[in-house]
């Protein structure tokens, strides 16, 4: 299956992508995770991306598209992938079609996770991410067994710089203006699937699987 998860920041894309990718035995390709790994590793790519990420703006398309092209050319993505956080605007979506076309591939589905803004603000302001393995929890909705410690690997949980209130608001604006038009773009391509991403993580996973069911 070659699929994209789309939805506002905090919709649960990363959470669901991790579960679905593991069940489908395909890689989860999260551009946010790749950028963050590059920022912490101090690479040239990380240096180019950091200021945009801290402000909650999109990293320029040339940088992002080149990174995704490289990632999708890797061996483990040849049998399918789940993209989380890419594409984030129509130009990136067009580039993705081109990248896949060059590999003689196409997207099977785009899954839209729909959640209202009040809920995503609550989810983002309580999100905690593991510095070691990237696992994501929530202080109220998925509290760690020991405060500040990742349930998955025992690493340190921290609050992302861009999950502070002011940056959250800006990221939601960026989503409305630049990313939301992708819903119509993929509707026009005939591959859009939409689910309500509210309720428990397990409920959302069940809806996602039912929607994606016959698309692989
Ligand atoms: P995204 O990748 O779309 O930005 P995440 O998967 O990181 O979103 O989820 C944002 C926050 O919301 C995390 O703290 C996560 O634990 C929490 N979360 C994810 N799904 C749900 C859900 N169904 N109900 C409540 N909280 C959720
Ligand atoms: P995320 O982890 O998906 O919330 O992404 C965190 C940040 O990484 C975003 O606010 C952007 O600054 C950057 N980013 C992630 N994916 C993209 C993308 N497809 N295009 C541009 N910037 C991105």
């Amino acid at each position: 299956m070659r699929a994209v998860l789309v939805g506002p920041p905090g919709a649960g894309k990363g959470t669901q992508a991790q579960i679905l990718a593991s069940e489908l035995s395909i890689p989860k390709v999260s551009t946010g995770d790749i950028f963050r790994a590059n920022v912490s590793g101090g690479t040239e790519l990380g240096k180019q991306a950091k200021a945009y990420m801290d402000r909650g703006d999109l990293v320029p398309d040339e940088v992002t598209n080149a990174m995704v092209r490289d990632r999708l050319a890797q061996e483990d993505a040849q049998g399918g992938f789940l993209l989380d956080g890419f594409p984030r605007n129509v130009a990136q979506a067009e580039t993705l079609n081109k990248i896949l076309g060059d590999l003689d591939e196409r997207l099977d589905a785009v899954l839209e996770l729909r959640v209202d803004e009040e809920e995503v603000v609550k989810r983002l302001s309580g999100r905690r991410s593991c510095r070691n393995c990237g696992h994501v929890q929530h202080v109220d909705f998925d509290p760690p067994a020991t405060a500040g410690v990742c349930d998955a690997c025992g690493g340190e949980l921290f609050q992302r710089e861009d999950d502070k209130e002011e940056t959250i608001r800006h990221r939601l604006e960026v989503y409305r203006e630049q990313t939301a038009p992708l819903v119509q773009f993929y509707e026009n391509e005939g591959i859009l699937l939409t689910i309500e991403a509210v309720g428990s993580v397990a409920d959302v996973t069940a809806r996602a699987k039912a929607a994606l069911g016959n698309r692989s």
Side-chain angles (χ1 to χ4, degrees):
M1 152 122 27
R2 295 182 178 87
V4 165
L5 296 188
V6 71
K13 300 181 299 295
T15 302
Q16 295 299 328
Q18 188 168 3
I19 298 168
L20 295 167
S22 147
E23 292 193 8
L24 294 164
S25 301
I26 53 177
K28 161 192 166 196
V29 175
S30 158
T31 43
D33 285 353
I34 303 174
F35 280 134
R36 278 185 291 278
N38 277 276
V39 170
S40 20
T43 69
E44 193 48 45
L45 178 64
K47 284 178 195 146
Q48 286 176 320
K50 186 173 186 320
Y52 296 97
M53 295 173 75
D54 286 348
R55 286 197 302 270
D57 284 326
L58 297 186
V59 177
D61 287 350
E62 311 82 76
V63 176
T64 308
N65 289 338
M67 179 177 92
V68 170
R69 182 182 285 278
D70 284 353
R71 180 64 189 87
L72 294 185
Q74 285 171 24
E75 189 57 38
D76 67 334
Q78 300 320 302
F81 52 78
L82 216 43
L83 272 166
D84 153 27
F86 183 92
R88 276 260 222 307
N89 59 34
V90 170
Q92 291 183 3
E94 284 166 345
T95 302
L96 177 60
N97 283 349
K98 173 89 177 61
I99 292 171
L100 294 176
D102 290 348
L103 296 167
D104 243 355
E105 294 168 2
R106 56 190 290 283
L107 282 180
D108 299 305
V110 173
L111 183 68
E112 180 198 5
L113 302 189
R114 205 150 49 186
V115 194
D116 68 38
E117 284 206 2
E118 206 183 314
E119 175 69 15
V120 297
V121 171
K122 279 191 221 151
R123 289 188 186 178
L124 290 174
S125 39
R127 174 161 64 185
R128 298 293 182 269
S129 309
C130 178
R131 226 179 260 294
N132 180 47
C133 74
H135 180 66
V136 169
Q137 301 205 219
H138 190 282
V139 289
D140 300 316
F141 307 143
D142 180 17
T146 307
V149 178
C150 172
D151 282 349
C153 78
E156 179 204 350
L157 291 175
F158 76 106
Q159 181 172 32
R160 278 168 48 173
E161 196 53 45
D162 60 351
D163 279 346
K164 307 278 162 70
E165 173 95 27
E166 215 180 281
T167 320
I168 290 175
R169 298 278 168 205
H170 181 61
R171 288 161 67 209
L172 289 172
E173 265 168 46
V174 169
Y175 178 78
R176 277 196 299 270
E177 284 167 17
Q178 303 191 48
T179 311
L182 288 180
V183 170
Q184 190 60 52
F185 178 91
Y186 286 120
E187 173 78 54
N188 295 345
E189 299 225 326
I191 54 171
L192 184 75
L193 304 165
T194 299
I195 60 167
E196 295 301 322
V198 290
S200 70
V201 169
D203 285 348
V204 179
T205 304
R207 268 177 237 139
K209 282 160 81 171
L212 290 169
N214 51 7
R215 292 295 183 117
S216 51

